[in-house]
Amino acid sequence: MTREPLPDDGPPARATDLRLASAWLARHGLADARPTPLLAGRLAVRSRARLATYVILATLIIVSALAATSAFGDLQPYRPLPLLALAASVAGLLLAQSLLDRWVRRVDQRAGATLSRRAAHPIQPGWRTVLGRPYAVFAVVTFAGAMVLAGSALAVPDPTVRQLAVVVLIGLLGATGITALQLRHLLRHPVVAEDEESLTADVIMRVEDARELTTPNVQWSLPMVLLFGAAPGWWGAAAVAYVILSMVALVALRFRTPPSATVARQVMSVR
């Protein structure tokens, strides 16, 4: 199938989305596929949702740092109110992520309702396809490493460091909850496809999103809150080693695992 020219007389946003979809197809080896309004709309919504998720995670890091400063800064006695505010913020951010996933799901449902036909023998990729065992192991290990790193600070005699460790643990649990909600959404929302090409694109989007979720940005950033409490040297060395080792592992994963487009083609060839 040859690529059809993009419409120039449509709304500017639609034309922009179609051009971005065309570039996305070319990057994934589908340059001959036509950038349909269905694909363009789904990619645009996912791009906005991903940006919103970055804002949510950044907010979590900032709120955790502010809670740590408010609760234990300026040599004042420990105050529990900032910790309660942090717990409430984590709950609010989890709700925001849930509503964000619901928005994406509704957009997909509306798109599916407009299809004149469905792809033959549609698939529902499982976690081994969408995430893959290596990335699943990496996600579990980096989460466990961050929790152990923060938990080890509870053994430090300095009460400020121990209290800051509680802040970090709350934030890490919140970030993990947000990631779990996103993975659940990726695995459970139905495939939306009208032909072979859009079915391949659906799998590619899922694999890319799942791999993006395994990047431990919060796990790398949030433990640094403990530095406000003058964590001991051994803890700082352990934190640096954790970040370096997990970065090396992530780079190795990126190079050694097949690209998302290859995974999608493998799925299509065996369905």
Coordinates of all heavy atoms in Angstrom, one line a residue, residues 87-157:
A87 N 0.9 12.0 52.0 CA 0.1 10.8 51.8 C -1.2 11.2 51.0 O -1.6 10.5 50.1 CB -0.3 10.2 53.1
A88 N -1.8 12.4 51.4 CA -2.9 12.8 50.6 C -2.6 13.2 49.2 O -3.4 12.9 48.3 CB -3.6 14.0 51.3
S89 N -1.4 13.8 49.0 CA -1.0 14.1 47.6 C -0.8 12.9 46.8 O -1.1 12.8 45.6 CB 0.3 14.9 47.7 OG 0.1 16.1 48.4
V90 N -0.2 11.8 47.4 CA 0.0 10.6 46.7 C -1.3 10.0 46.2 O -1.5 9.5 45.1 CB 0.8 9.6 47.5 CG1 0.8 8.2 46.9 CG2 2.3 10.0 47.7
A91 N -2.3 10.0 47.1 CA -3.6 9.5 46.8 C -4.2 10.3 45.7 O -4.9 9.7 44.7 CB -4.5 9.5 48.0
G92 N -4.1 11.6 45.7 CA -4.6 12.5 44.7 C -4.0 12.2 43.3 O -4.6 12.2 42.3
L93 N -2.6 12.0 43.3 CA -1.9 11.7 42.1 C -2.3 10.4 41.5 O -2.4 10.2 40.3 CB -0.4 11.8 42.3 CG 0.1 13.2 42.7 CD1 1.6 13.1 43.1 CD2 -0.1 14.2 41.5
L94 N -2.6 9.4 42.4 CA -3.0 8.1 41.9 C -4.4 8.3 41.2 O -4.7 7.7 40.2 CB -3.1 7.1 43.1 CG -1.8 6.6 43.6 CD1 -2.0 5.8 44.9 CD2 -1.1 5.7 42.5
L95 N -5.3 9.1 41.8 CA -6.6 9.3 41.2 C -6.4 10.0 39.9 O -7.1 9.7 38.9 CB -7.4 10.1 42.2 CG -8.8 10.6 41.7 CD1 -9.7 9.3 41.4 CD2 -9.5 11.4 42.7
A96 N -5.5 11.0 39.8 CA -5.3 11.7 38.6 C -4.8 10.8 37.5 O -5.3 10.9 36.3 CB -4.3 12.9 38.8
Q97 N -3.9 9.9 37.8 CA -3.4 8.9 36.8 C -4.6 8.0 36.4 O -4.7 7.6 35.2 CB -2.3 8.1 37.4 CG -1.7 7.1 36.4 CD -1.1 7.9 35.2 OE1 -0.3 8.8 35.3 NE2 -1.5 7.4 34.0
S98 N -5.4 7.6 37.3 CA -6.5 6.7 37.0 C -7.5 7.4 36.0 O -8.0 6.8 35.0 CB -7.3 6.3 38.2 OG -8.4 5.5 37.9
L99 N -7.8 8.7 36.3 CA -8.6 9.5 35.4 C -8.0 9.7 34.0 O -8.7 9.7 33.0 CB -9.0 10.8 36.0 CG -9.8 10.7 37.3 CD1 -10.0 12.1 37.9 CD2 -11.2 10.1 37.0
L100 N -6.7 9.8 34.0 CA -5.9 10.0 32.7 C -6.1 8.7 31.9 O -6.3 8.8 30.7 CB -4.5 10.3 33.0 CG -3.6 10.8 31.9 CD1 -4.1 12.1 31.3 CD2 -2.2 11.0 32.4
D101 N -5.9 7.6 32.5 CA -6.0 6.3 31.8 C -7.4 6.1 31.3 O -7.7 5.6 30.2 CB -5.6 5.1 32.7 CG -4.1 5.2 33.0 OD1 -3.3 5.8 32.2 OD2 -3.7 4.5 34.0
R102 N -8.4 6.5 32.1 CA -9.8 6.4 31.7 C -10.1 7.3 30.5 O -10.8 6.9 29.6 CB -10.7 6.8 32.9 CG -12.2 6.7 32.6 CD -12.9 7.1 33.8 NE -14.4 7.0 33.6 CZ -15.3 7.4 34.5 NH1 -14.9 7.9 35.6 NH2 -16.6 7.2 34.2
W103 N -9.5 8.5 30.4 CA -9.6 9.4 29.3 C -9.1 8.7 28.0 O -9.8 8.7 27.0 CB -8.9 10.7 29.6 CG -8.8 11.6 28.4 CD1 -9.9 12.1 27.6 CD2 -7.7 12.1 27.8 NE1 -9.4 12.9 26.6 CE2 -8.1 12.9 26.7 CE3 -6.3 12.1 28.1 CZ2 -7.2 13.6 25.9 CZ3 -5.4 12.8 27.3 CH2 -5.8 13.5 26.2
V104 N -7.9 8.1 28.1 CA -7.3 7.5 26.9 C -8.2 6.3 26.5 O -8.4 6.1 25.3 CB -5.9 7.0 27.2 CG1 -5.3 6.2 26.1 CG2 -5.0 8.2 27.5
R105 N -8.7 5.5 27.5 CA -9.6 4.4 27.2 C -10.8 4.8 26.5 O -11.3 4.2 25.5 CB -9.9 3.6 28.5 CG -10.6 2.3 28.2 CD -10.6 1.5 29.5 NE -11.1 2.1 30.7 CZ -10.4 2.6 31.7 NH1 -9.1 2.4 31.7 NH2 -10.9 3.1 32.7
R106 N -11.4 5.9 26.9 CA -12.6 6.4 26.3 C -12.4 6.9 24.9 O -13.2 6.7 24.0 CB -13.2 7.6 27.1 CG -13.9 7.1 28.4 CD -14.6 8.2 29.1 NE -15.5 7.8 30.2 CZ -16.2 8.6 30.9 NH1 -16.2 9.9 30.7 NH2 -16.9 8.1 31.9
V107 N -11.3 7.5 24.6 CA -10.9 7.9 23.3 C -10.8 6.7 22.4 O -11.3 6.7 21.2 CB -9.6 8.8 23.3 CG1 -9.1 9.0 21.8 CG2 -9.8 10.1 24.0
D108 N -10.2 5.7 22.8 CA -10.0 4.4 22.1 C -11.4 3.8 21.8 O -11.7 3.3 20.7 CB -9.2 3.4 22.8 CG -7.7 3.7 22.6 OD1 -7.3 4.6 21.8 OD2 -6.9 3.1 23.3
Q109 N -12.3 3.8 22.8 CA -13.6 3.3 22.6 C -14.4 4.0 21.6 O -15.1 3.4 20.8 CB -14.4 3.3 24.0 CG -13.8 2.3 25.0 CD -14.5 2.4 26.4 OE1 -15.1 3.4 26.7 NE2 -14.3 1.4 27.2
R110 N -14.3 5.4 21.6 CA -15.0 6.2 20.6 C -14.4 5.9 19.2 O -15.2 5.8 18.2 CB -14.9 7.6 21.0 CG -15.8 8.0 22.1 CD -16.0 9.5 22.2 NE -14.7 10.2 22.4 CZ -14.3 10.6 23.6 NH1 -15.0 10.3 24.7 NH2 -13.1 11.2 23.7
A111 N -13.1 5.7 19.2 CA -12.5 5.5 17.9 C -12.9 4.1 17.3 O -13.2 3.9 16.1 CB -11.0 5.5 18.0
G112 N -13.0 3.1 18.2 CA -13.4 1.8 17.8 C -14.9 1.8 17.3 O -15.2 1.0 16.4
A113 N -15.7 2.6 17.9 CA -17.1 2.6 17.5 C -17.3 3.2 16.1 O -18.3 2.9 15.5 CB -17.9 3.4 18.5
T114 N -16.3 3.9 15.6 CA -16.5 4.5 14.3 C -15.9 3.7 13.2 O -16.1 4.0 12.0 CB -15.7 5.9 14.3 OG1 -14.3 5.7 14.5 CG2 -16.2 6.8 15.4
L115 N -15.3 2.6 13.6 CA -14.7 1.7 12.5 C -15.8 1.0 11.7 O -16.7 0.5 12.3 CB -13.8 0.7 13.2 CG -12.5 1.2 13.9 CD1 -11.7 0.1 14.5 CD2 -11.7 2.0 13.0
S116 N -15.6 1.0 10.4 CA -16.5 0.3 9.5 C -16.3 -1.2 9.6 O -17.2 -2.0 9.3 CB -16.4 0.8 8.1 OG -15.0 0.7 7.6
R117 N -15.1 -1.6 9.9 CA -14.8 -3.0 10.0 C -13.6 -3.2 11.0 O -12.9 -2.3 11.3 CB -14.4 -3.6 8.6 CG -13.1 -3.0 8.0 CD -13.0 -3.4 6.6 NE -11.8 -2.9 6.0 CZ -10.6 -3.4 6.0 NH1 -10.4 -4.6 6.7 NH2 -9.5 -2.9 5.4
R118 N -13.5 -4.4 11.5 CA -12.4 -4.8 12.4 C -11.4 -5.6 11.7 O -11.7 -6.3 10.7 CB -13.0 -5.5 13.6 CG -13.9 -4.7 14.4 CD -13.2 -3.8 15.4 NE -14.1 -3.1 16.3 CZ -13.8 -2.5 17.4 NH1 -12.5 -2.5 17.8 NH2 -14.7 -1.9 18.1
A119 N -10.2 -5.6 12.2 CA -9.1 -6.5 11.7 C -9.5 -7.9 12.0 O -10.1 -8.2 13.0 CB -7.8 -6.2 12.3
A120 N -9.2 -8.8 11.0 CA -9.6 -10.2 11.2 C -8.7 -10.8 12.3 O -7.6 -10.5 12.4 CB -9.4 -11.0 9.9
H121 N -9.4 -11.7 13.1 CA -8.7 -12.4 14.2 C -7.9 -11.4 15.1 O -6.7 -11.5 15.2 CB -7.7 -13.4 13.7 CG -8.4 -14.4 12.7 ND1 -9.4 -15.2 13.1 CD2 -8.2 -14.6 11.4 CE1 -9.8 -15.9 12.0 NE2 -9.1 -15.5 11.0
P122 N -8.5 -10.4 15.7 CA -7.8 -9.5 16.6 C -7.1 -10.2 17.7 O -7.6 -11.2 18.2 CB -8.9 -8.5 17.1 CG -10.2 -9.3 17.0 CD -10.0 -10.2 15.8
I123 N -6.1 -9.6 18.3 CA -5.3 -10.2 19.3 C -5.4 -9.3 20.6 O -5.8 -8.2 20.5 CB -3.8 -10.3 18.9 CG1 -3.3 -8.9 18.6 CG2 -3.6 -11.3 17.8 CD1 -1.8 -8.9 18.3
Q124 N -5.1 -9.9 21.7 CA -5.0 -9.2 23.0 C -3.7 -9.5 23.6 O -3.6 -10.5 24.3 CB -6.2 -9.5 23.9 CG -6.2 -8.7 25.2 CD -6.5 -7.2 24.9 OE1 -7.3 -6.9 24.0 NE2 -5.9 -6.3 25.6
P125 N -2.6 -8.7 23.3 CA -1.3 -9.1 23.8 C -1.2 -9.2 25.3 O -1.8 -8.4 26.1 CB -0.4 -8.0 23.3 CG -1.2 -7.3 22.2 CD -2.6 -7.5 22.6
G126 N -0.5 -10.2 25.8 CA -0.3 -10.4 27.3 C 0.9 -9.7 27.7 O 1.6 -9.0 27.0
W127 N 1.2 -9.8 29.0 CA 2.4 -9.1 29.6 C 3.7 -9.5 29.0 O 4.6 -8.7 28.9 CB 2.4 -9.2 31.1 CG 2.8 -10.5 31.7 CD1 1.9 -11.6 32.0 CD2 4.1 -10.9 32.0 NE1 2.7 -12.6 32.4 CE2 4.0 -12.3 32.5 CE3 5.3 -10.4 31.9 CZ2 5.1 -13.0 32.8 CZ3 6.5 -11.1 32.3 CH2 6.3 -12.4 32.8
R128 N 3.8 -10.8 28.7 CA 5.1 -11.3 28.1 C 5.4 -10.6 26.8 O 6.5 -10.4 26.4 CB 5.1 -12.8 27.9 CG 5.2 -13.5 29.3 CD 5.2 -15.0 29.0 NE 5.4 -15.8 30.3 CZ 4.4 -16.1 31.1 NH1 3.1 -15.8 30.7 NH2 4.6 -16.8 32.2
T129 N 4.3 -10.3 26.0 CA 4.5 -9.6 24.7 C 4.7 -8.1 24.9 O 5.6 -7.5 24.4 CB 3.3 -9.8 23.8 OG1 3.2 -11.2 23.5 CG2 3.4 -9.1 22.5
V130 N 3.8 -7.5 25.7 CA 3.8 -6.0 25.9 C 5.0 -5.6 26.7 O 5.7 -4.6 26.3 CB 2.5 -5.6 26.6 CG1 2.5 -4.1 26.9 CG2 1.3 -5.9 25.8
L131 N 5.3 -6.2 27.8 CA 6.4 -5.8 28.6 C 7.7 -6.7 28.4 O 8.8 -6.2 28.2 CB 6.0 -5.8 30.1 CG 7.1 -5.4 31.1 CD1 7.5 -3.9 30.8 CD2 6.5 -5.5 32.5
G132 N 7.5 -8.0 28.4 CA 8.6 -8.9 28.2 C 9.2 -9.2 29.5 O 9.3 -8.4 30.5
R133 N 9.7 -10.4 29.6 CA 10.3 -10.9 30.9 C 11.5 -10.1 31.3 O 11.6 -9.7 32.5 CB 10.7 -12.4 30.8 CG 11.1 -13.0 32.1 CD 11.5 -14.5 31.9 NE 10.4 -15.2 31.3 CZ 9.4 -15.8 32.0 NH1 9.3 -15.6 33.4 NH2 8.4 -16.5 31.4
P134 N 12.5 -9.7 30.4 CA 13.6 -8.9 30.8 C 13.2 -7.6 31.4 O 13.8 -7.2 32.5 CB 14.5 -8.8 29.6 CG 14.1 -9.9 28.7 CD 12.6 -10.1 29.0
Y135 N 12.3 -6.9 30.8 CA 11.9 -5.6 31.3 C 11.1 -5.7 32.6 O 11.1 -4.9 33.5 CB 11.0 -4.8 30.3 CG 11.8 -4.1 29.3 CD1 12.2 -4.7 28.1 CD2 12.3 -2.8 29.5 CE1 12.9 -4.1 27.1 CE2 13.1 -2.2 28.5 CZ 13.4 -2.8 27.4 OH 14.1 -2.1 26.4
A136 N 10.3 -6.8 32.7 CA 9.6 -7.1 34.0 C 10.5 -7.3 35.1 O 10.3 -6.8 36.2 CB 8.6 -8.3 33.8
V137 N 11.5 -8.1 34.9 CA 12.5 -8.4 35.9 C 13.3 -7.1 36.3 O 13.5 -6.8 37.5 CB 13.6 -9.4 35.5 CG1 14.7 -9.5 36.4 CG2 12.9 -10.8 35.3
F138 N 13.6 -6.3 35.3 CA 14.3 -5.0 35.6 C 13.4 -4.1 36.4 O 13.9 -3.4 37.4 CB 14.6 -4.3 34.2 CG 15.2 -3.0 34.4 CD1 16.5 -2.8 34.8 CD2 14.5 -1.8 34.1 CE1 17.1 -1.5 34.9 CE2 15.0 -0.6 34.2 CZ 16.3 -0.4 34.6
A139 N 12.1 -4.0 36.1 CA 11.2 -3.1 36.9 C 11.1 -3.6 38.3 O 11.2 -2.8 39.2 CB 9.8 -3.1 36.2
V140 N 11.0 -4.9 38.5 CA 10.9 -5.4 39.9 C 12.2 -5.2 40.7 O 12.2 -4.7 41.8 CB 10.6 -6.9 39.9 CG1 10.7 -7.5 41.3 CG2 9.2 -7.1 39.3
V141 N 13.4 -5.4 40.0 CA 14.6 -5.3 40.7 C 14.9 -3.8 41.0 O 15.4 -3.5 42.1 CB 15.8 -5.8 39.8 CG1 17.1 -5.5 40.4 CG2 15.6 -7.4 39.7
T142 N 14.6 -2.9 40.1 CA 14.9 -1.5 40.4 C 14.0 -0.9 41.5 O 14.4 -0.1 42.3 CB 14.7 -0.6 39.1 OG1 13.4 -0.9 38.5 CG2 15.8 -0.9 38.1
F143 N 12.7 -1.4 41.5 CA 11.8 -1.0 42.6 C 12.3 -1.6 43.9 O 12.4 -0.8 44.9 CB 10.4 -1.5 42.3 CG 9.5 -1.4 43.5 CD1 9.0 -0.2 44.0 CD2 9.1 -2.6 44.2 CE1 8.2 -0.2 45.1 CE2 8.3 -2.5 45.3 CZ 7.8 -1.3 45.8
A144 N 12.6 -2.8 43.9 CA 13.1 -3.4 45.2 C 14.4 -2.8 45.6 O 14.6 -2.5 46.8 CB 13.4 -4.9 45.0
G145 N 15.3 -2.4 44.7 CA 16.6 -1.8 45.1 C 16.3 -0.4 45.7 O 16.9 0.0 46.7
A146 N 15.4 0.4 45.1 CA 15.0 1.7 45.7 C 14.4 1.5 47.1 O 14.7 2.3 48.0 CB 14.1 2.4 44.7
M147 N 13.6 0.5 47.2 CA 12.9 0.3 48.5 C 14.0 -0.1 49.6 O 13.9 0.4 50.7 CB 11.8 -0.7 48.4 CG 10.6 -0.3 47.6 SD 9.7 1.1 48.3 CE 8.9 0.2 49.7
V148 N 14.9 -1.0 49.2 CA 15.9 -1.4 50.1 C 16.8 -0.2 50.5 O 17.3 0.0 51.6 CB 16.7 -2.6 49.5 CG1 18.0 -2.8 50.3 CG2 15.9 -3.8 49.4
L149 N 17.2 0.6 49.5 CA 18.0 1.7 49.7 C 17.4 2.7 50.7 O 18.0 3.2 51.6 CB 18.3 2.4 48.4 CG 19.3 3.6 48.4 CD1 20.7 3.1 48.7 CD2 19.3 4.2 47.0
A150 N 16.1 3.0 50.5 CA 15.4 3.9 51.4 C 15.2 3.2 52.7 O 15.4 3.9 53.8 CB 14.1 4.3 50.8
G151 N 14.9 2.0 52.7 CA 14.7 1.3 54.0 C 15.9 1.2 54.8 O 15.9 1.2 56.1
S152 N 17.1 1.1 54.2 CA 18.3 0.9 54.9 C 18.6 2.2 55.7 O 19.3 2.1 56.8 CB 19.5 0.7 54.0 OG 19.7 1.8 53.1
A153 N 18.1 3.3 55.3 CA 18.3 4.6 56.0 C 17.5 4.5 57.4 O 17.8 5.3 58.3 CB 17.8 5.8 55.2
L154 N 16.6 3.6 57.5 CA 15.9 3.5 58.8 C 16.8 3.0 59.9 O 16.5 3.2 61.1 CB 14.7 2.6 58.7 CG 13.5 3.0 57.7 CD1 12.5 2.0 57.6 CD2 12.9 4.3 58.2
A155 N 17.9 2.4 59.5 CA 18.9 1.9 60.5 C 19.9 3.0 61.0 O 20.7 2.7 61.9 CB 19.6 0.7 60.0
V156 N 19.8 4.2 60.3 CA 20.8 5.2 60.7 C 20.4 5.8 62.0 O 19.2 6.1 62.2 CB 20.8 6.3 59.6 CG1 21.7 7.4 60.0 CG2 21.3 5.7 58.3
P157 N 21.3 6.1 62.9 CA 20.9 6.6 64.2 C 20.3 8.0 64.2 O 19.5 8.3 65.0 CB 22.3 6.7 65.0 CG 23.1 5.7 64.3 CD 22.7 5.7 62.9

